[in-house]
């Protein structure tokens, strides 16, 4: 057991943060850089040169030998190209350590191996990384040594976004502009900047590394493709729990320390519903940093797990029949002077502003439910959303009783002039009762829940980047703010106009509010009556990216161009087809090389046993062996038939040329055959002698970490 460290001492020690910049940069340069970070002013080459040099000195003192432009291509994980700090040898045969402003600002990785969805023609493979100075550089330490990582955006030669960060930054700008218009309407003249705050809660599983290495499905696909549920009740045995705690506890301690050094404020950790499942939540940060930090959290969880002889599974559904993992994206809008626009506040005046913000969000979510659903679509999440698990694939908003009541009053009473303490208040809206932060019970089944001063979007997949969901939230709310501001800025009587607008939006978009049980079949039917989309799979979700509605939204606010959206749709189809292809081929490999041969041996053993018993004692009852033999042989035959069909359908899908059609073929033809192959194999696992089964079972994996 290592000694306990003081988080305050190590926090941010590997980050080129404000303190370090202040210490190491000449005052003028520091001020120039701050201007760029805070207001987006252009950075001069001179400033870049000085900053690069200071960064290098700081990094080298911390043992870094390399730097890398760290970026987030469309793969959903991070990528980088490392360069050493050394310069060309000098005449005396020595080298000096160099890092220029140019190298800091711009990189040119070989972009041809990253998905571009046709944006970058093959003859123009160039892509550029550009320094994002709003997310601090950091030093990553691992077996390869220490590397200075510079967060960057990644775009094509012609400026199209090839990554997840660029659109996120664009969406934050749009939200800032439109939210400021709303604030000004309410007389706020002091706030200068509005930023989305994000706190993503990360769920994950831990399994023993040695057992993991015996399962090709985990190695190649991150999830189990076969596996029968262990008998119920094992999870209650204290024996297992005791063992888990020790190992997982020391893992968590290490994870926290690594993250604190990187300036990631890992705050809460706890065991989740499923055995071997855990959760880590950071303190919220501005959306751009939160997205970067979530990537660091995922990387750190994986890296540290291996150090402790375990593997961290970030897949949305590593085990069938056991709860899957997701990411809860907590989102709010905060000004530079500390006002949270989603805080209901205590005074009626603030309530009016809050109510307008709230109904704008309802409008945004209702209108673009399909985009939110798409932002949470990844291959693994198909096993959660719309399957038998939380949250449902239907987007709806949970407000809690109190807020729902406020909205209903608004909608039904129209020109409400309820009096408070004897006086009649003017706006009607302001006469509504003050409401305190929602104290009603939490609704765990809602995909989008208002939780006091933030919205919690619970659909996101556990291994997915949270960039996209936040791009969508920022963009759709910016649009709603913009439309509201267009009306209110022209109004002769602001109080009346804002009252009417709140009422109008509330009435029109109330259908998106649902406080009941989101898992129930009744909700599926009710949602259908309300006309809410129920998009059950990733391939059905992707088209939302390129509707006229989406293109108009994103082009209006300069977040994506039509061709960027088309490329993202293309990349998503590709990703889906590739992932299912790998899963199917892994199943084929496991079934033909491991499972079927093992079962053949088991059948042979049964037959031999029957023969041996009968010849030793002809009167002996061998009906059990016979029954087992019959049952096993029948499942074996079914397995072989299903395997042949899966091979055939996978080949058929792989041969489809066009990306969308190929993805659909995998979805419609291959996925059902995967299920059909799994069924008899899982039955066989339950009847075949455990010592003959070719891989660790669910029980081994989940309960014996
Ligand atoms: P829960 O009850 O859902 O666990 P917590 O208060 O623990 O709620 O917060 C969960 C996550 O939400 C944390 O990552 C936290 O930092 C984040 N969070 C809290 N307040 C906000 C906010 N105003 N905006 C964005 N995220 C927030
Ligand atoms: Mg939560």
């Amino acid at each position: 057991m290592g000694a306990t460290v003081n988080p305050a001492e190590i926090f941010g020690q590997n980050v080129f943060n404000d303190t370090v910049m202040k210490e190491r940069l000449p005052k003028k340069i520091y001020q120039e850089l701050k201007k760029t970070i805070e207001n987006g002013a252009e950075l001069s080459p001179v400033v870049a040169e000085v900053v690069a040099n200071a960064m290098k000195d700081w990094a080298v003192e911390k043992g870094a030998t390399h730097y890398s432009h760290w970026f987030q291509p469309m793969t959903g994980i991070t990528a980088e190209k490392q360069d050493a700090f050394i310069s060309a040898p000098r005449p005396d045969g020595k080298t000096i350590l160099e890092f220029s402003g140019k190298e800091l600002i711009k990189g040119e990785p070989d972009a041809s191996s990253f998905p571009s969805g046709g944006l970058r023609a093959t003859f123009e493979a160039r892509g550029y990384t550009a320094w994002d100075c709003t997310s601090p550089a950091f030093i990553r330490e691992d077996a390869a040594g220490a590397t200075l990582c510079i967060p960057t955006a990644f775009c094509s030669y012609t400026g199209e976004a090839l990554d997840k960060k660029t659109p996120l930054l664009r969406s934050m700008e749009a939200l800032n502009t439109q939210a400021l218009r709303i604030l000004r309407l309410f007389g706020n003249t002091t706030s200068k900047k509005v930023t989305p705050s994000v706190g993503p809660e990360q769920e994950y599983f831990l399994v023993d590394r040695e057992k993991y290495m015996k399962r090709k499905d985990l190695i190649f696909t991150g999830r189990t493709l076969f596996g029968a549920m262990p008998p119920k009740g094992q999870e209650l045995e204290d024996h297992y729990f005791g063992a888990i705690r020790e190992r997982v506890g020391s893992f968590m301690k290490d994870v926290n320390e690594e993250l604190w050094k990187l300036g990631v404020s890992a705050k809460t950790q706890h065991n989740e519903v499923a055995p071997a499942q855990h959760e880590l939540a950071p303190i919220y940060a501005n959306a751009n940093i939160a997205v970067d930090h979530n990537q660091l959290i995922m990387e750190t969880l994986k890296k540290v797990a291996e150090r402790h002889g375990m593997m961290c599974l970030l897949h949305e559904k590593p085990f069938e029949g056991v709860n899957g993992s997701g990411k809860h994206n907590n989102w709010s809008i905060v000004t530079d002077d500390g006002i949270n626009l989603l805080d209901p506040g205590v005074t009626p005046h603030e309530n009016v502003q809050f109510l307008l913000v709230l109904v704008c969000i309802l409008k945004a979510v209702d209108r673009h439910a399909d985009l939110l659903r798409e932002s949470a679509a990844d291959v693994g999440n198909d096993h959660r959303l719309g399957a038998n698990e939380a949250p449902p694939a239907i987007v709806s908003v949970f407000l809690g009783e109190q807020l729902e009541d406020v909205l209903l009053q608004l909608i039904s009473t129209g020109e409400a002039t309820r009096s408070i303490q004897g006086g009649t208040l003017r706006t009607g809206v302001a006469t509504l009762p003050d409401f305190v932060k929602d104290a009603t019970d939490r609704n765990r089944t809602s995909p989008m829940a208002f939780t006091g001063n933030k919205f919690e979007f619970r659909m996101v997949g556990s291994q997915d980047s949270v960039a996209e969901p936040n791009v969508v939230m920022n963009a759709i709310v910016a649009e709603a703010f913009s439309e509201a501001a267009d009306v209110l800025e022209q109004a002769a009587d602001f109080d009346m106009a804002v009252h009417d607008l709140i009422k109008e939006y509330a009435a029109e978009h109330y259908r998106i509010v649902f406080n009941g049980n989101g898992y129930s079949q009744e909700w599926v039917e009710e949602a259908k009556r309300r006309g809410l989309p129920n998009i059950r799979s990733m391939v059905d979700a992707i088209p939302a990216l390129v509707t006229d509605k989406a293109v108009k939204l994103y082009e209006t606010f300069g977040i994506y161009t039509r061709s960027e959206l088309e490329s993202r749709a293309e990349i998503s189809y590709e990703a889906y087809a590739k992932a299912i292809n790998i899963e199917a081929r892994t199943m084929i490999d496991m079934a033909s090389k491991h499972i079927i041969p093992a079962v053949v041996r088991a059948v042979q053993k049964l037959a031999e046993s029957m023969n041996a018993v009968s010849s030793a004692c002809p009167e002996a009852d061998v009906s059990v062996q016979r029954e087992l033999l019959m049952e096993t042989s029948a499942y074996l035959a079914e397995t072989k038939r299903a395997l042949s069909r899966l091979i055939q359908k996978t080949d058929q899908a792989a041969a489809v040329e066009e990306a969308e059609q190929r993805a659909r073929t995998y979805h419609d033809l291959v996925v059902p055959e995967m299920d059909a192959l799994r069924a008899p194999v899982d039955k066989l696992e339950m009847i075949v002698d455990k010592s003959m089964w070719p891989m660790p079972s669910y029980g081994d994996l989940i309960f014996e970490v």
Side-chain angles (χ1 to χ4, degrees):
M1 269 256 180
T4 310
V5 298
N6 178 352
E9 257 163 46
I10 60 167
F11 192 83
Q13 83 178 22
N14 285 353
V15 185
F16 194 75
N17 55 23
D18 195 59
T19 315
V20 181
M21 289 194 271
K22 227 186 235 153
E23 254 169 42
R24 295 187 170 244
L25 295 173
K27 199 161 174 198
K28 271 223 64 188
I29 300 282
Y30 170 77
Q31 283 164 347
E32 289 285 316
L33 181 59
K34 282 296 270 191
K35 253 192 243 160
T36 303
I37 293 173
E38 276 159 20
N39 314 322
E42 202 166 325
L43 195 74
S44 80
V46 181
V47 175
E49 200 62 38
V50 180
V51 175
N53 203 48
M55 235 186 226
K56 178 211 63 185
D57 289 345
W58 170 79
V60 170
E61 279 167 39
K62 293 201 161 284
T65 51
H66 289 70
Y67 71 91
S68 88
H69 276 201
W70 186 77
F71 58 103
Q72 298 170 33
M74 300 301 300
T75 52
I77 54 173
T78 60
E80 60 190 277
K81 177 181 163 230
Q82 298 196 356
D83 283 288
F85 282 123
I86 56 170
S87 63
R90 296 183 310 176
D92 62 2
K94 301 206 164 168
T95 185
I96 50 166
L97 301 187
E98 270 184 351
F99 183 48
S100 68
K102 250 206 195 124
E103 288 168 310
L104 167 64
I105 291 180
K106 195 173 124 186
E108 206 174 325
D110 173 19
S112 54
S113 51
F114 298 109
S116 76
L119 268 187
R120 204 187 37 230
T122 34
F123 59 85
E124 181 45 271
R126 259 188 297 181
Y128 293 105
T129 50
W131 181 31
D132 166 25
C133 63
T134 61
S135 182
F138 57 90
I139 290 175
R140 198 196 36 219
E141 293 165 321
D142 55 28
T147 305
L148 170 67
C149 296
I150 298 149
T152 54
F154 180 45
C155 5
S156 75
Y157 182 64
T158 42
E160 283 131 335
L162 295 173
D163 69 346
K164 307 226 168 197
K165 185 188 273 281
T166 308
L168 178 66
L169 292 172
R170 293 172 182 165
S171 74
M172 288 169 69
E173 267 177 47
L175 184 66
N176 173 45
T177 309
Q178 303 308 326
L180 280 175
R181 288 175 71 191
I182 299 290
L183 285 174
R184 299 290 180 256
L185 280 166
F186 283 90
N188 175 326
T189 52
T190 44
S191 300
K192 290 198 198 67
K193 195 171 175 187
V194 180
T195 320
S197 283
V198 171
E201 302 163 57
Q202 176 72 50
E203 290 180 336
Y204 60 93
F205 278 84
L206 288 173
V207 296
D208 181 77
R209 187 167 188 280
E210 258 177 55
K211 292 183 185 124
Y212 170 100
M213 294 309 288
K214 292 190 182 132
R215 294 210 50 137
K216 282 190 178 168
D217 46 5
L218 285 178
I219 294 172
F220 294 132
T221 73
R223 75 177 181 106
T224 55
L225 300 168
F226 299 102
M229 269 305 282
K232 224 182 140 103
Q234 273 194 46
E235 69 267 32
L236 299 176
E237 285 184 28
D238 293 346
H239 164 74
Y240 294 119
F241 263 118
I244 289 168
R245 281 229 185 86
E246 184 80 350
R247 193 167 179 191
V248 173
S250 83
F251 156 84
M252 284 178 173
K253 177 174 171 290
D254 259 17
V255 166
N256 285 337
E257 286 175 18
E258 291 265 328
L259 288 174
W260 290 336
K261 282 195 227 165
L262 292 169
V264 180
S265 48
K267 173 94 172 157
T268 55
Q269 61 197 28
H270 56 80
N271 293 351
E272 265 304 322
V273 186
Q277 192 185 27
H278 309 277
E279 182 189 294
L280 188 154
I283 296 175
Y284 63 94
N286 106 36
N288 181 34
I289 290 179
V291 168
D292 285 358
H293 281 182
N294 182 250
Q295 292 290 347
L296 288 177
I297 288 173
M298 292 195 285
E299 285 170 20
T300 304
L301 288 170
K302 283 195 199 164
K303 189 173 76 180
V304 175
E306 286 210 61
R307 249 189 248 153
H308 288 257
M310 297 186 287
M311 294 301 280
C312 173
L313 307 180
L314 291 172
H315 195 281
E316 285 77 12
K317 194 75 178 175
F319 306 103
E320 185 110 356
V322 175
N323 264 8
S325 299
K327 205 136 40 186
H328 292 175
N329 190 79
N330 293 275
W331 181 92
S332 67
I333 318 170
V334 184
T335 67
D336 57 332
D337 49 355
I339 304 165
N340 179 354
L341 272 62
L342 290 178
D343 194 331
V346 283
T347 67
H349 176 76
E350 281 172 3
N351 281 356
V352 180
Q353 183 184 306
F354 168 75
L355 282 175
L356 177 65
V357 169
L358 183 72
V359 294
C360 280
I361 294 175
L362 291 184
K363 177 182 177 181
V365 174
D366 184 25
R367 187 196 270 170
H368 297 294
D370 59 339
L371 280 178
L372 279 165
R373 169 65 182 86
E374 198 288 327
S375 78
D378 73 3
V379 190
N381 229 5
D382 270 11
H383 300 281
R384 299 173 68 236
L385 308 179
N388 324 319
E389 200 187 323
I394 306 162
V395 174
S396 66
V397 175
F398 170 81
L399 289 179
E401 270 170 56
Q402 200 171 27
L403 271 185
E404 188 181 19
D405 178 57
V406 169
L407 281 195
L408 281 176
Q409 285 184 53
L410 254 174
I411 296 167
S412 61
T413 57
E415 287 299 304
T417 45
R418 200 190 299 179
S419 52
I420 291 170
Q421 293 162 357
T424 304
L425 295 175
R426 271 177 308 142
T427 66
V429 183
T431 62
L432 289 166
D434 289 355
F435 37 95
V436 288
K437 280 188 192 175
D438 187 62
T440 46
D441 57 333
R442 293 251 179 148
N443 181 324
R444 295 271 166 211
T445 64
S446 175
M448 177 79 76
F450 183 73
T451 49
N453 62 0
K454 63 185 194 284
F455 273 98
E456 186 171 341
F457 182 44
R458 303 202 180 109
M459 277 184 158
V460 188
S462 49
Q463 64 182 334
D464 212 0
S465 158
V466 283
E468 256 188 270
N470 287 300
V471 170
V472 176
M473 280 306 285
N474 298 343
I476 66 179
V477 174
E479 181 189 54
F481 282 172
S482 158
E483 287 167 353
D486 285 347
V487 173
L488 297 175
E489 282 165 358
Q490 303 302 319
D493 181 343
F494 175 74
D495 287 352
M496 276 312 290
V498 77
H499 165 254
D500 290 348
L501 201 65
I502 292 174
K503 184 172 174 260
E504 180 195 320
Y505 283 9
E508 201 170 318
H509 300 286
Y510 193 71
R511 63 172 193 165
I512 198 74
V513 176
F514 178 64
N515 286 341
N517 178 5
Y519 300 168
S520 66
Q521 188 52 36
E522 293 88 82
W523 170 231
V524 174
E525 281 147 29
E526 167 67 17
K528 195 167 173 193
R529 269 194 297 279
R530 294 189 190 184
L532 302 177
N534 182 0
I535 303 168
R536 294 182 146 269
S537 75
M538 176 170 169
V539 284
D540 293 327
I542 298 169
L545 282 174
V546 288
T547 60
D548 289 343
K549 172 174 78 73
V551 174
K552 179 167 169 284
L553 162 75
Y554 287 128
E555 291 201 330
T556 302
F557 295 97
I559 296 166
Y560 293 115
T561 61
R562 180 186 285 274
S563 59
E564 283 172 339
L565 289 166
E566 283 166 355
S567 87
R568 268 152 221 259
E570 178 92 1
I571 289 168
S572 301
Y573 287 125
E574 292 277 354
Y576 184 88
K578 270 187 201 157
I580 302 295
N581 184 55
I582 293 172
E583 290 191 351
R585 296 205 187 275
T586 304
M587 284 186 98
I588 292 167
D589 181 278
M590 290 169 77
S592 18
K593 294 206 194 117
H594 304 278
I595 296 165
I596 291 177
V599 178
V600 167
R601 280 194 296 278
V603 169
Q604 189 185 346
K605 233 177 122 182
L606 281 170
E608 281 166 10
S609 150
M610 266 176 74
N611 285 342
V613 172
S614 300
S615 65
C617 175
E619 307 80 48
D621 181 359
V622 288
S623 61
V624 173
Q625 288 95 319
R626 180 189 305 279
E627 215 174 284
L628 268 175
L629 183 59
M630 298 277 290
E631 205 183 350
T632 312
S633 305
Y635 284 133
L636 179 60
E638 191 186 331
T639 302
K640 184 68 178 75
R641 282 194 301 273
L643 175 63
S644 305
R645 282 199 311 270
L646 180 59
I647 293 172
Q648 192 245 319
K649 299 290 182 200
T650 307
D651 289 343
Q652 185 184 334
V656 177
E657 286 277 327
E658 197 270 326
E660 174 173 358
Q661 213 38 54
R662 186 163 61 251
R664 289 201 173 277
T665 311
Y666 275 104
H667 177 266
D668 298 344
L669 300 186
V670 177
V671 170
E673 293 303 344
M674 288 166 62
D675 294 341
L677 173 58
R678 178 175 186 147
V681 171
D682 288 359
K683 291 268 179 20
L684 283 167
E685 188 181 349
M686 297 304 283
I687 52 178
V688 168
D689 181 347
K690 182 165 167 55
S691 68
M692 301 186 76
W693 198 249
M695 61 195 128
S697 69
Y698 269 25
D700 301 331
L701 285 163
I702 303 173
F703 298 109
E704 295 175 26
V705 182

